Structures are given as C-alpha cells and as structure tokens.
C-alpha cells in the first residue's frame, strides 16, 4: 500500500510526526503530570494548558512545515486544506488512494473505551473535499447527517421522498465501518412549506407524521444505530415547547413518534434529543420527568441526547453533567453527547482556544466516566463549515479542527483524555 498519496502527503507526515510527538510527550510524563494535576484555580489551569498546547503546537507546526515543503516538491495539485476541491481537470485524475490513519486518532483511541466519536456531516463536502472526507474517515467512528435527514430535505412533497443526500452519507459511513445516528424525525424546525402551510385536521397530521416516520425509519432499517426521534420538545423555561406538532396533535405526538419509530425498526435505539438540559437546570429536570413518564407508560425510548451546544460565556459544570447522566442511567437510559461545539466570541485568542480545549476535555471526561454515555458527537468537523457564525453572529471557532482542517488545542485535549494522559 502506498503510504503517501499525492495530496495527502502533508497530512500523513503530520500524523506520523504526531505519533512521535506523543511518544516524546509521554517520556516527559513527569513534567506533564506536574502541570495537569488539579491546579488550584481556573487561571492556573489555563496557564498550564497554554503551556502544554503551545509546546505541542510548536512541535506539530515543525512537522507540518516539513510536510508542506515535501508536498511542494512532489508537486501535487490536490487539496491539503479544508477547502473544496477545484473542478476536475480534463484528463482523468489518478485513482484515489487511501491515507493511512494514525493509531492515535480520536477514533482509534476511543475504540479502546468502547465509545463512538462522531461528527455531523454535510454530504456535499464528502463528495468535493478530500481532506474533509479523510478527516472524517480517520478521526470519527460515527456520523450524523447535519441536515440531510430532516423533514424538509427527505420529504419535500406530500407524496415525495428524497433520500439521495442522506443515502450518500450512510453509504460513506458503511464503506468506512462507521455507525450512523439518524437526525431527526420530529422537530419544529426545517419543516417543508407544504406541511406548515397546509390546513390539516388532527387526524390528518397524525397520518402524515406516522407515514413520515414509518417511511424514513423503514428506508434505513438496520442501518441506523440510534435515531433522534423527538428533537427539542421542551422550551427554555422548562415547559413543553409550543410547536407545530404540539398545536396540531397535542402532547401525544411524542409517544406516538417513539412507537412508530420502534415499529419501523425494532433494533434501532430511540433517543429524545435537546439542548440546554445538559447539567442540572429546570430544563433538564423537565426532560428527565418527561422521559420518566414516557417510560412509565411503556413507550420505547432508550436514550437521551445531550446536544451540548456550549459557549465560553456559559457552560454547565462538569459535576452537574455527571449527576444528570447518572440519573438517566438509573432510569436504564443510554446517553449520547450529540451535537457538541463550544463557540467563542470574537476576537478568538490563544487563551480562549485553550479554555475551549478544557471545556471539551471536561465533557469528554465526564462522558467517559459515565457508564451509560456511549457516544461523543461534534456538530461538524471544521470551523470552516460550522453553523455557528451564521446562527450566533459574533461567535466562531467552535469545533476541534480549524478552517484548514488542522487540529486545534481542543483536538489534543480530547486525544489526551482518551489516551489517559
Ligand atoms: C442546524 C444545522 O447545523 C444548520 O446547518 C441548519 O441550517 C439548522 O440546523 N439543534 C439541532 C440541529 O438539533 O439539527 C441544528 O442543526 C442545530 C441545533
């Protein structure tokens, strides 16, 4: 097998160098332990982190430089950054060869813990951006379509379904031995106009939702490990959210949705998924009580998704997330971190990136320590294509790979946790 493919040369060299750096870092274990053992306060932690990350970054940069110079020499016209590829040249391109993934990738480190690490993906980028696809393949063991399975995409007409985009993602996952989370069957957002502008009776809406769920879950039967069946049904004050579905069907829509999904794919794990209920707050209490009462009624629900869209301005205490995970576990429920990102208010500074790394590290640590937390999924791969700048103006840099698909301090924080450093 050719270890170094044309346009992935830089990456491979980086990966190889990283491996050496990891070895060197563990040789300096004494010093690192000194720096990481419970510094007395947050400021100290940040300083210690800044030091470690800076050293690691400098080492990796050296490797990258070598990679880039060599890449130039060998003169390859492909893509080394996280930008989309140019349209193919007239002559046929040489067949793609696969980059060899490092054995210190998130994916391989997480395997030891029997945990999936995942990312939300955009099918268009999978097809056009080799660096993006390679990063996914090497670093992640679970994919979730960021938009492709949502109602408006998959069910664009009353009697019309379009699975082409979502199928491409599921095919890619299967070709690379990855699991897929299905997202999402019932949500108040990204609904098609034909649905929201119709004048439906309750019975008609029940029929539409039933058909939708049976068709979509049925289409992927046996291929989706977990479905976000109901998404964001609780509002920020801790009441049931006043949505299209609540207004049209009443609160029974929640249990009906789970029952239909179970009928269509009895093997799939069925999740309730929400944001802002990760720690201990009124919203997480409402979610807990909602799920508990569904379980009491015998509704087939197997897990709760903690979206984990965090900001450096406010994030839950790790201890509170641990307590929340534990009470869900007592109910017999699995938990997934389903959409993690940590947005940073501009300007992005090195100090903020290091603090972000600690937030990622703490949440992964909590998930690893909880016996029911089986997946850790990020809402995107690279800052270049994250939803954050569009939805939270003034914020950016929320993911673990930067605009060029290069790893950020948060990436190293996650690999360090998984490697037990
Ligand atoms: C977001 C996507 O990232 C955007 O591309 C899209 O325009 C809007 O939805 N909670 C969810 C996700 O459950 O589906 C949302 O995804 C982010 C918030």
């Amino acid at each position: 097998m050719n270890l170094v493919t044309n346009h992935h040369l830089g990456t491979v060299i980086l990966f190889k160098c990283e491996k050496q750096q990891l070895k060197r870092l563990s040789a300096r274990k004494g010093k690192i332990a000194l720096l990481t053992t419970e510094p007395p306060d947050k400021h100290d932690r940040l300083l210690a982190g800044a030091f470690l990350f800076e050293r690691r970054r400098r080492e990796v940069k050296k490797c990258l430089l070598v990679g880039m110079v060599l890449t130039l020499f060998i003169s390859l016209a492909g893509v080394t950054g996280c930008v989309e590829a140019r349209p193919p040249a007239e002559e046929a391109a040489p067949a793609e060869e696969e980059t060899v993934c490092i054995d210190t990738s998130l994916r391989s480190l997480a395997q030891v813990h029997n945990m999936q690490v995942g990312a939300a993906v955009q099918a268009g980028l999978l097809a056009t951006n080799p660096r993006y696809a390679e990063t996914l393949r090497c670093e992640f063991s679970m994919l979730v379509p960021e938009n492709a399975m949502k109602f408006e995409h998959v069910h664009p007409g009353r009697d019309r379904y379009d699975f082409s985009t979502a199928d491409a993602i599921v095919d890619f996952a299967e070709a690379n031995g990855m699991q897929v989370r299905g997202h999402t069957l019932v949500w108040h957002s990204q609904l098609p106009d034909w649905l929201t502008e119709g004048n439906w009776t309750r019975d008609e809406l029940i029929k539409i939702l039933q058909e939708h769920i049976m068709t979509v879950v049925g289409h992927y039967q046996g291929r989706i490990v977990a479905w976000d069946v109901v998404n964001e049904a609780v509002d920020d004050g801790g009441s049931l959210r006043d949505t299209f579905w609540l207004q049209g069907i009443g609160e029974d829509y929640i249990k009906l949705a789970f029952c239909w999904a179970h009928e269509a794919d009895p093997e799939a794990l069925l999740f309730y998924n929400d944001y802002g209920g990760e720690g201990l707050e009124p919203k997480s209490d409402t979610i807990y009580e909602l799920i508990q009462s569904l379980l009491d009624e015998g509704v087939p629900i197997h897990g709760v998704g903690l979206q984990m869209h965090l900001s450096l301005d406010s994030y839950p205490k790790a201890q509170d997330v641990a307590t929340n995970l534990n009470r869900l576990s007592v109910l017999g429920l699995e938990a997934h971190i389903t959409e993690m990102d940590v947005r940073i208010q501009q300007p992005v500074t090195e100090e903020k990136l290091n603090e972000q790394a600690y937030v990622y590290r703490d949440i992964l640590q909590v998930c690893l320590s909880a016996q029911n937390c089986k997946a850790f999924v990020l809402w995107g791969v690279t800052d270049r294509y994250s939803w954050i700048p569009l939805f939270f103006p003034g914020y950016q840099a929320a993911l673990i790979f930067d605009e060029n698909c290069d790893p950020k301090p948060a990436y190293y924080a996650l690999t360090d946790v998984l490697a037990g450093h």
Side-chain angles (χ1 to χ4, degrees):
M1 187 174 355
N2 184 0
L3 272 184
V4 179
T5 63
N6 289 352
H7 56 258
H8 297 124
L9 183 65
T11 319
V12 172
I13 288 170
L14 170 64
F15 285 171
K16 283 178 157 266
C17 289
E18 275 202 337
K19 214 168 142 184
Q20 287 159 11
Q21 296 310 340
L22 266 185
K23 277 194 197 132
R24 265 184 250 157
L25 279 179
S26 42
R28 294 195 291 248
K29 210 165 147 201
K31 274 188 207 159
I32 291 170
L34 247 184
L35 285 166
T36 54
T37 43
E38 303 282 309
D41 63 24
K42 189 173 158 195
H43 183 67
D44 286 356
R45 284 189 347 150
L46 291 178
L47 276 179
F51 179 78
L52 268 181
F53 292 135
E54 184 45 37
R55 188 167 61 189
R56 183 88 191 269
R57 198 194 338 267
R58 260 188 270 126
E59 287 164 340
V60 167
K61 253 188 187 164
K62 247 192 273 162
C63 298
L64 248 187
L65 201 67
V66 179
M68 279 161 63
V69 169
L70 278 173
T71 306
L72 252 181
F73 269 121
I74 302 181
S75 93
L76 312 162
V79 174
T80 52
C82 217
V83 285
E84 284 165 65
R86 276 162 289 176
E90 298 233 321
E91 66 273 25
E96 280 282 316
E97 287 175 61
E98 283 189 346
T99 308
V100 172
C101 304
I102 47 164
D103 55 9
T104 52
S105 70
L106 286 173
R107 179 178 181 162
S108 52
L109 291 171
Q111 206 175 6
V112 178
H113 301 276
N114 204 13
M115 169 188 267
Q116 308 304 323
V117 275
V121 295
Q122 300 176 24
L125 296 172
L126 272 185
T128 55
N129 185 330
R131 179 85 190 267
Y132 177 89
E134 285 307 288
T135 305
L136 277 168
R137 190 174 71 76
C138 286
E139 298 289 344
F140 298 97
S141 56
M142 177 180 256
L143 297 185
V144 48
E146 182 169 345
N147 289 300
M149 285 182 183
K150 290 174 181 170
F151 210 125
E152 69 175 359
H153 290 286
V154 95
H155 194 168
R158 174 75 183 88
D159 298 309
R160 197 158 64 81
Y161 288 85
D162 179 356
F163 291 110
S164 52
T165 315
D167 282 353
I169 293 172
V170 176
D171 290 346
F172 177 89
E174 286 176 349
N176 292 294
M178 304 156 112
Q179 295 186 356
V180 182
R181 294 192 90 260
H183 177 83
T184 176
L185 298 168
V186 194
W187 192 27
H188 58 274
S189 192
Q190 293 184 268
L191 296 171
D193 291 347
W194 70 261
L195 178 63
T196 52
E197 285 169 11
N199 197 10
W200 313 104
T201 65
R202 179 174 188 270
D203 285 348
E204 282 169 337
L205 261 192
I206 287 180
K207 190 159 177 276
I208 288 171
L209 187 57
Q210 178 178 20
E211 269 175 28
H212 174 79
I213 291 177
M214 298 295 288
T215 308
V216 176
V217 178
H219 179 82
Y220 291 108
Q221 202 227 323
R223 303 174 75 191
I224 302 280
V225 68
W227 272 105
D228 289 331
V229 178
V230 176
N231 199 36
E232 302 178 356
V234 175
D235 69 21
D236 295 347
S239 310
L240 270 195
R241 190 186 288 273
D242 189 19
T243 67
F244 175 79
W245 299 112
L246 186 73
Q247 287 165 15
I249 299 180
E251 58 188 74
D252 278 357
Y253 84 87
I254 298 178
K255 67 172 160 216
L256 289 171
F258 279 97
C259 292
W260 294 322
H262 187 60
E263 199 180 324
D265 188 350
E267 298 301 316
L269 296 174
L270 305 182
F271 275 65
Y272 174 80
N273 189 48
D274 214 328
Y275 69 90
E278 290 87 3
L280 296 176
E281 48 266 312
K283 189 162 174 175
S284 65
D285 290 344
T286 308
I287 293 170
Y288 176 80
E289 284 153 20
L290 171 71
I291 307 301
Q292 191 175 34
S293 71
L294 291 171
L295 285 171
D296 287 347
E297 285 185 72
V299 175
I301 171 163
H302 312 109
V304 172
L306 307 182
Q307 290 188 4
M308 213 62 83
H309 290 295
L310 308 182
S311 140
L312 275 196
D313 312 333
S314 86
Y315 47 89
K317 285 199 205 105
Q319 184 50 51
D320 289 352
V321 178
T323 308
N324 195 28
L325 286 172
N326 188 53
R327 68 174 169 175
L328 294 171
S329 160
V330 172
L331 290 182
L333 294 167
E334 210 169 276
H336 291 176
I337 307 301
T338 51
E339 306 186 14
M340 184 156 181
D341 49 23
V342 184
R343 57 189 179 274
I344 297 179
Q345 192 164 18
Q346 287 161 332
V348 177
T349 62
E350 211 161 299
E351 195 194 16
K352 290 182 190 173
L353 288 172
N354 289 332
E355 185 175 357
Q356 177 188 55
Y358 277 110
V359 178
Y360 271 105
R361 182 197 68 174
D362 287 351
I363 299 297
L364 177 59
Q365 189 68 66
V366 164
C367 181
L368 265 185
S369 311
Q371 49 134 14
N372 59 335
C373 189
K374 301 283 171 65
F376 183 83
V377 182
L378 311 177
W379 205 242
V381 180
T382 145
D383 289 336
R384 184 178 289 271
Y385 304 113
S386 158
W387 73 307
I388 290 296
L390 200 63
F391 283 78
F392 297 90
Y395 287 81
Q396 62 184 96
L399 293 165
I400 66 169
F401 291 95
D402 70 12
E403 299 265 333
N404 292 318
C405 260
D406 288 328
K408 293 162 62 181
Y411 170 87
Y412 297 117
L414 296 182
T415 52
D416 280 355
V417 170
L418 291 169
H421 294 146

